[in-house]
Protein backbone atom coordinates (compact mmCIF):
# COMPACT_ATOMS: atom_id res chain seq x y z
CA UNK A 1 0.00 0.00 0.00
CA UNK A 2 1.35 3.42 -0.91
CA UNK A 3 0.49 6.81 0.56
CA UNK A 4 -2.28 7.48 -2.00
CA UNK A 5 -3.99 4.18 -1.16
CA UNK A 6 -3.69 4.98 2.55
CA UNK A 7 -5.46 8.31 2.05
CA UNK A 8 -8.20 6.51 0.11
CA UNK A 9 -8.53 4.05 3.00
CA UNK A 10 -8.92 6.92 5.47
CA UNK A 11 -11.58 8.50 3.28
CA UNK A 12 -13.40 5.19 3.01
CA UNK A 13 -13.31 4.71 6.78
CA UNK A 14 -14.82 8.18 7.23
CA UNK A 15 -17.65 7.28 4.83
CA UNK A 16 -18.28 4.02 6.65
CA UNK A 17 -18.42 5.85 9.96
CA UNK A 18 -20.84 8.39 8.54
CA UNK A 19 -23.02 5.60 7.16
CA UNK A 20 -23.09 3.81 10.48
CA UNK A 21 -24.00 7.01 12.30
CA UNK A 22 -26.89 7.65 9.89
CA UNK A 23 -28.20 4.13 10.23
CA UNK A 24 -27.46 3.20 6.60
CA UNK A 25 -24.83 0.70 7.71
CA UNK A 26 -24.97 -1.69 10.61
CA UNK A 27 -22.80 -0.05 13.34
CA UNK A 28 -19.42 -1.70 13.53
CA UNK A 29 -20.06 -4.32 10.86
CA UNK A 30 -18.55 -2.51 7.90
CA UNK A 31 -15.70 -1.24 10.03
CA UNK A 32 -14.79 -4.75 11.18
CA UNK A 33 -14.52 -5.84 7.56
CA UNK A 34 -12.16 -2.96 6.74
CA UNK A 35 -9.87 -3.37 9.71
CA UNK A 36 -6.85 -5.64 9.22
CA UNK A 37 -5.55 -7.93 11.92
CA UNK A 38 -2.10 -6.35 11.69
CA UNK A 39 -0.94 -2.97 10.40
CA UNK A 40 2.68 -2.37 9.41
CA UNK A 41 3.90 1.13 8.57
CA UNK A 42 7.38 2.19 7.55
CA UNK A 43 8.34 5.78 8.24
CA UNK A 44 9.37 8.26 10.92
CA UNK A 45 8.47 6.87 14.39
CA UNK A 46 5.69 9.30 15.30
CA UNK A 47 4.07 9.38 11.87
CA UNK A 48 4.32 5.61 11.46
CA UNK A 49 2.69 5.11 14.86
CA UNK A 50 -0.26 7.32 13.98
CA UNK A 51 -0.66 5.73 10.56
CA UNK A 52 -0.53 2.18 11.94
CA UNK A 53 -3.36 2.90 14.37
CA UNK A 54 -5.33 4.61 11.60
CA UNK A 55 -4.99 1.48 9.46
CA UNK A 56 -6.56 -0.50 12.31
CA UNK A 57 -9.57 1.83 12.34
CA UNK A 58 -8.24 4.75 14.36
CA UNK A 59 -7.66 5.26 18.07
CA UNK A 60 -11.39 5.86 18.51
CA UNK A 61 -11.86 2.14 17.93
CA UNK A 62 -9.91 1.47 21.14
CA UNK A 63 -10.24 4.55 23.37
CA UNK A 64 -13.61 6.07 24.14
CA UNK A 65 -14.52 9.37 25.74
CA UNK A 66 -13.78 9.31 29.46
CA UNK A 67 -11.51 6.25 29.35
CA UNK A 68 -8.54 6.03 31.71
CA UNK A 69 -5.63 4.81 29.61
CA UNK A 70 -2.28 3.31 30.55
CA UNK A 71 0.50 3.17 27.95
CA UNK A 72 3.25 0.66 28.72
CA UNK A 73 6.50 1.38 26.85
CA UNK A 74 9.93 -0.03 27.67
CA UNK A 75 11.89 2.61 29.55
CA UNK A 76 13.66 0.28 31.96
CA UNK A 77 17.17 1.28 30.93
CA UNK A 78 19.13 4.53 31.01
CA UNK A 79 19.56 4.40 27.25
CA UNK A 80 18.40 6.58 24.38
CA UNK A 81 16.64 5.45 21.19
CA UNK A 82 19.83 4.48 19.34
CA UNK A 83 20.42 1.56 21.72
CA UNK A 84 17.14 -0.08 20.62
CA UNK A 85 16.64 -1.21 24.22
CA UNK A 86 13.91 1.36 24.96
CA UNK A 87 10.81 2.52 23.10
CA UNK A 88 11.32 5.50 20.82
CA UNK A 89 9.91 8.60 22.58
CA UNK A 90 8.05 9.72 19.45
CA UNK A 91 6.12 6.44 19.40
CA UNK A 92 4.97 6.99 22.98
CA UNK A 93 4.09 10.66 22.56
CA UNK A 94 2.11 9.92 19.38
CA UNK A 95 0.05 7.31 21.22
CA UNK A 96 -0.58 9.66 24.15
CA UNK A 97 -1.67 12.43 21.81
CA UNK A 98 -4.08 10.14 19.95
CA UNK A 99 -5.62 8.91 23.20
CA UNK A 100 -6.30 12.47 24.32
CA UNK A 101 -7.71 13.34 20.90
CA UNK A 102 -10.11 10.40 21.30
CA UNK A 103 -11.41 11.83 24.57
CA UNK A 104 -9.46 9.89 27.19
CA UNK A 105 -9.98 11.39 30.64
CA UNK A 106 -6.44 10.45 31.66
CA UNK A 107 -3.36 8.97 30.02
CA UNK A 108 -0.51 7.55 32.09
CA UNK A 109 2.78 6.20 30.72
CA UNK A 110 3.95 3.63 33.27
CA UNK A 111 6.88 1.30 33.84
CA UNK A 112 8.66 -0.25 36.79
CA UNK A 113 12.19 0.47 35.63
CA UNK A 114 15.19 -1.74 36.27
CA UNK A 115 17.44 1.26 36.96
CA UNK A 116 17.08 4.65 38.64
CA UNK A 117 13.60 5.89 37.66
CA UNK A 118 14.55 9.53 37.16
CA UNK A 119 17.52 8.63 34.97
CA UNK A 120 15.43 6.22 32.91
CA UNK A 121 12.62 8.69 32.29
CA UNK A 122 15.11 11.37 31.32
CA UNK A 123 17.62 9.44 29.22
CA UNK A 124 15.04 7.52 27.23
CA UNK A 125 13.55 10.87 26.20
CA UNK A 126 10.05 9.61 26.93
CA UNK A 127 9.18 12.05 29.70
CA UNK A 128 10.23 15.11 27.71
CA UNK A 129 8.43 13.89 24.59
CA UNK A 130 5.18 13.36 26.47
CA UNK A 131 5.50 16.68 28.33
CA UNK A 132 4.94 18.33 24.96
CA UNK A 133 1.57 16.58 24.80
CA UNK A 134 0.47 17.09 28.40
CA UNK A 135 2.52 17.41 31.57
CA UNK A 136 2.68 14.71 34.23
CA UNK A 137 1.99 11.70 32.01
CA UNK A 138 5.12 9.65 32.59
CA UNK A 139 5.81 7.77 35.81
CA UNK A 140 8.32 5.11 36.84
CA UNK A 141 6.88 3.36 39.88
CA UNK A 142 8.75 0.99 42.16
CA UNK A 143 7.40 1.81 45.65
CA UNK A 144 5.14 -0.80 47.27
CA UNK A 145 2.44 1.80 47.89
CA UNK A 146 1.68 2.03 44.15
CA UNK A 147 0.92 -1.70 43.80
CA UNK A 148 -2.00 -3.92 44.76
CA UNK A 149 -2.37 -7.68 44.91
CA UNK A 150 -4.37 -9.18 42.07
CA UNK A 151 -5.42 -12.83 42.03
CA UNK A 152 -4.85 -14.78 38.82
CA UNK A 153 -7.68 -17.25 38.34
CA UNK A 154 -6.53 -20.48 36.69
CA UNK A 155 -2.92 -19.32 36.64
CA UNK A 156 -0.62 -22.18 35.70
CA UNK A 157 2.35 -21.09 37.82
CA UNK A 158 1.44 -17.56 38.90
CA UNK A 159 -1.59 -17.36 41.18
CA UNK A 160 -1.28 -13.69 42.13
CA UNK A 161 0.80 -10.61 41.38
CA UNK A 162 1.36 -7.15 42.80
CA UNK A 163 0.13 -4.94 39.96
CA UNK A 164 0.23 -1.15 39.68
CA UNK A 165 -3.00 0.28 41.06
CA UNK A 166 -3.32 2.65 38.11
CA UNK A 167 -3.23 -0.34 35.77
CA UNK A 168 -5.99 -2.12 37.66
CA UNK A 169 -8.10 1.06 37.50
CA UNK A 170 -7.46 1.63 33.80
CA UNK A 171 -10.17 1.15 31.20
CA UNK A 172 -7.66 0.54 28.41
CA UNK A 173 -4.05 -0.65 28.29
CA UNK A 174 -1.80 0.00 25.31
CA UNK A 175 1.41 -2.00 24.96
CA UNK A 176 4.19 0.01 23.30
CA UNK A 177 7.31 -2.17 23.47
CA UNK A 178 10.49 -1.81 21.50
CA UNK A 179 11.25 -4.94 19.49
CA UNK A 180 14.25 -6.67 21.00
CA UNK A 181 15.80 -9.98 21.87
CA UNK A 182 15.83 -11.30 25.42
CA UNK A 183 18.27 -13.75 26.97
CA UNK A 184 15.56 -15.50 29.00
CA UNK A 185 12.36 -15.17 26.97
CA UNK A 186 13.88 -15.17 23.48
CA UNK A 187 12.19 -11.87 22.64
CA UNK A 188 10.82 -8.96 24.63
CA UNK A 189 7.70 -7.61 22.95
CA UNK A 190 4.11 -6.82 23.99
CA UNK A 191 3.49 -9.81 26.23
CA UNK A 192 6.89 -9.83 27.92
CA UNK A 193 6.59 -6.07 28.43
CA UNK A 194 3.64 -6.51 30.80
CA UNK A 195 6.16 -7.59 33.43
CA UNK A 196 7.04 -3.92 33.82
CA UNK A 197 3.64 -3.33 35.42
CA UNK A 198 4.24 -5.62 38.41
CA UNK A 199 6.39 -5.13 41.49
CA UNK A 200 8.25 -8.43 41.84
CA UNK A 201 9.50 -9.73 38.50
CA UNK A 202 12.03 -12.09 40.08
CA UNK A 203 9.22 -14.42 41.16
CA UNK A 204 8.19 -14.82 37.52
CA UNK A 205 11.68 -15.89 36.55
CA UNK A 206 11.83 -18.43 39.38
CA UNK A 207 8.41 -19.95 38.78
CA UNK A 208 8.82 -20.26 35.01
CA UNK A 209 9.24 -17.20 32.84
CA UNK A 210 7.17 -18.19 29.81
CA UNK A 211 4.31 -19.60 31.88
CA UNK A 212 4.33 -16.53 34.13
CA UNK A 213 4.20 -14.15 31.17
CA UNK A 214 1.09 -15.89 29.86
CA UNK A 215 -0.54 -16.01 33.31
CA UNK A 216 0.08 -12.28 33.77
CA UNK A 217 -1.41 -11.44 30.38
CA UNK A 218 -4.69 -13.07 31.41
CA UNK A 219 -5.25 -10.29 33.97
CA UNK A 220 -3.61 -7.34 32.21
CA UNK A 221 -3.97 -7.90 28.46
CA UNK A 222 -3.28 -5.03 26.10
CA UNK A 223 -6.30 -3.71 24.20
CA UNK A 224 -3.90 -2.39 21.56
CA UNK A 225 -0.31 -3.40 20.87
CA UNK A 226 2.02 -1.05 19.00
CA UNK A 227 5.48 -2.56 18.53
CA UNK A 228 8.29 -0.10 17.90
CA UNK A 229 10.39 -1.83 15.25
CA UNK A 230 11.97 1.35 14.01
CA UNK A 231 15.15 -0.13 15.49
CA UNK A 232 15.41 -3.77 16.55
CA UNK A 233 17.97 -5.16 19.01
CA UNK A 234 18.35 -8.60 17.44
CA UNK A 235 21.00 -9.97 19.82
CA UNK A 236 22.24 -9.56 23.38
CA UNK A 237 18.94 -8.18 24.65
CA UNK A 238 17.30 -6.89 26.65
CA UNK A 239 19.88 -4.15 27.23
CA UNK A 240 22.64 -4.77 24.72
CA UNK A 241 24.87 -3.67 23.27
CA UNK A 242 24.10 -6.05 20.45
CA UNK A 243 23.28 -6.09 16.79
CA UNK A 244 20.83 -3.32 15.92
CA UNK A 245 18.94 -3.29 12.63
CA UNK A 246 16.82 -0.36 11.48
CA UNK A 247 13.68 -1.49 9.64
CA UNK A 248 11.99 1.83 10.40
CA UNK A 249 8.65 0.10 11.02
CA UNK A 250 5.80 0.19 13.51
CA UNK A 251 3.65 -2.95 13.87
CA UNK A 252 0.18 -2.58 15.40
CA UNK A 253 -2.64 -4.97 16.24
CA UNK A 254 -5.65 -5.30 18.49
CA UNK A 255 -4.24 -8.76 19.28
CA UNK A 256 -1.03 -8.57 21.32
CA UNK A 257 -0.18 -12.19 20.57
CA UNK A 258 -0.52 -11.57 16.84
CA UNK A 259 1.60 -8.42 17.08
CA UNK A 260 4.36 -10.36 18.82
CA UNK A 261 4.08 -13.32 16.45
CA UNK A 262 4.31 -11.12 13.36
CA UNK A 263 7.31 -9.29 14.79
CA UNK A 264 9.12 -12.56 15.51
CA UNK A 265 8.48 -13.80 11.97
CA UNK A 266 9.63 -10.54 10.37
CA UNK A 267 13.25 -10.32 11.47
CA UNK A 268 16.32 -12.41 12.15
CA UNK A 269 17.06 -13.02 15.83
CA UNK A 270 20.57 -14.02 16.80
CA UNK A 271 21.30 -14.37 13.08
CA UNK A 272 18.44 -16.79 12.36
CA UNK A 273 14.80 -16.65 11.30
CA UNK A 274 12.32 -18.14 13.78
CA UNK A 275 8.68 -19.12 13.62
CA UNK A 276 6.33 -17.67 16.25
CA UNK A 277 5.63 -21.12 17.70
CA UNK A 278 9.31 -21.42 18.62
CA UNK A 279 8.83 -18.70 21.24
CA UNK A 280 7.24 -20.62 24.07
CA UNK A 281 5.09 -17.88 25.63
CA UNK A 282 3.67 -16.92 22.21
CA UNK A 283 2.79 -20.55 21.48
CA UNK A 284 1.24 -21.00 24.93
CA UNK A 285 -0.84 -17.83 24.61
CA UNK A 286 -2.12 -19.00 21.22
CA UNK A 287 -2.99 -22.44 22.59
CA UNK A 288 -4.85 -20.87 25.52
CA UNK A 289 -6.91 -18.63 23.25
CA UNK A 290 -5.35 -15.32 24.29
CA UNK A 291 -4.57 -14.43 20.68
CA UNK A 292 -3.30 -15.81 17.40
CA UNK A 293 0.17 -16.73 16.26
CA UNK A 294 -0.87 -18.06 12.82
CA UNK A 295 0.19 -14.89 11.05
CA UNK A 296 -0.05 -16.59 7.65
CA UNK A 297 -3.84 -16.65 8.10
CA UNK A 298 -4.21 -13.05 9.32
CA UNK A 299 -4.90 -9.97 7.21
CA UNK A 300 -1.96 -7.58 7.08
CA UNK A 301 -2.00 -4.08 5.62
CA UNK A 302 1.30 -2.36 4.97
CA UNK A 303 2.15 1.23 4.18
CA UNK A 304 5.35 3.12 3.43
CA UNK A 305 5.16 6.83 4.24
Amino acid sequence: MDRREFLKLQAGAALLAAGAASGVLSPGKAFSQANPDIAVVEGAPGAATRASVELLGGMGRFVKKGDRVVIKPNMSFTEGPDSASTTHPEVVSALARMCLESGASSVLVLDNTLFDPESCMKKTGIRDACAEVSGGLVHALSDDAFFQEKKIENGHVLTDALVMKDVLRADKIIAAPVAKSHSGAGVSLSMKGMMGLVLERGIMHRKGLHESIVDLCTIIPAHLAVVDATRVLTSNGPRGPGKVIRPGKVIASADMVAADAYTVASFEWYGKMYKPRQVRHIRMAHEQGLGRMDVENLTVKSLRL
Side-chain angles (χ1 to χ4, degrees):
M1 183 184 290
D2 59 22
R3 188 178 183 87
R4 180 176 295 178
E5 290 174 321
F6 175 61
L7 293 174
K8 287 181 180 178
L9 178 64
Q10 284 187 308
L15 289 173
L16 289 173
S22 65
V24 176
L25 299 174
S26 175
K29 186 175 182 180
F31 251 126
S32 65
Q33 293 174 350
N35 297 331
D37 297 305
I38 300 169
V40 184
V41 179
E42 183 177 348
T49 298
R50 181 174 287 272
S52 68
V53 177
E54 289 296 331
L55 282 177
L56 292 178
M59 187 61 80
R61 174 185 169 191
F62 304 97
V63 175
K64 307 302 181 184
K65 185 176 181 180
D67 276 352
R68 294 166 294 188
V69 181
V70 165
I71 299 173
K72 170 57 180 72
N74 191 309
M75 57 180 181
S76 279
F77 301 106
T78 54
E79 313 286 348
D82 286 345
S83 71
S85 63
T86 58
T87 308
H88 199 289
E90 292 178 17
V91 171
V92 184
S93 62
L95 289 171
R97 193 181 302 275
M98 286 187 286
C99 289
L100 292 170
E101 290 170 357
S102 295
S105 61
S106 68
V107 179
L108 292 175
V109 178
L110 300 177
D111 198 5
N112 179 6
T113 62
L114 294 173
F115 293 87
D116 175 67
E118 285 297 319
S119 297
C120 288
M121 289 187 289
K122 179 180 179 180
K123 292 188 176 182
T124 59
I126 292 174
R127 182 168 60 184
D128 288 345
C130 290
E132 298 176 4
V133 181
S134 178
L137 291 177
V138 183
H139 301 278
L141 305 177
S142 58
D143 189 284
D144 293 13
F146 295 108
F147 294 80
Q148 178 180 323
E149 185 178 10
K150 173 71 175 177
K151 297 294 183 182
I152 302 177
E153 300 294 336
N154 302 315
H156 287 76
V157 298
L158 205 63
T159 57
D160 58 73
L162 291 169
V163 181
M164 290 182 185
K165 293 178 181 178
D166 287 313
V167 172
L168 297 177
R169 287 192 288 259
D171 299 298
K172 302 292 167 56
I173 300 172
I174 299 176
V178 68
K180 60 182 179 178
S181 57
H182 190 277
S183 58
V187 291
S188 179
L189 301 167
S190 304
M191 296 179 64
K192 168 68 173 63
M194 292 297 105
M195 290 178 67
L197 297 176
V198 302
L199 181 62
E200 299 172 344
R201 283 171 287 205
I203 293 175
M204 298 178 66
H205 285 270
R206 293 192 294 273
K207 289 192 172 184
L209 183 56
H210 292 279
E211 294 86 351
S212 294
I213 289 171
V214 177
D215 286 346
L216 184 63
C217 287
T218 64
I219 60 168
I220 48 173
H223 299 86
L224 169 64
V226 179
V227 181
D228 170 17
T230 56
R231 308 92 54 241
V232 180
L233 180 62
T234 64
S235 67
N236 205 31
R239 188 178 189 182
K243 182 179 179 181
V244 177
I245 61 173
R246 302 182 184 279
K249 294 180 179 180
V250 172
I251 299 165
S253 179
D255 179 343
M256 67 189 303
V257 181
D260 288 4
Y262 184 89
T263 304
V264 167
S266 297
F267 310 112
E268 285 190 354
W269 304 91
Y270 304 97
K272 294 175 57 178
M273 294 299 297
Y274 288 90
K275 296 183 181 299
R277 67 171 180 268
Q278 292 177 276
V279 180
R280 189 175 176 189
H281 63 266
I282 292 178
R283 184 179 71 250
M284 292 176 62
H286 172 89
E287 292 171 348
Q288 293 181 35
L290 299 184
R292 295 177 63 180
M293 69 174 181
D294 57 324
V295 293
E296 67 277 6
N297 297 321
L298 301 179
T299 57
V300 181
K301 286 186 177 178
S302 301
L303 170 68
R304 177 180 292 179
L305 299 179

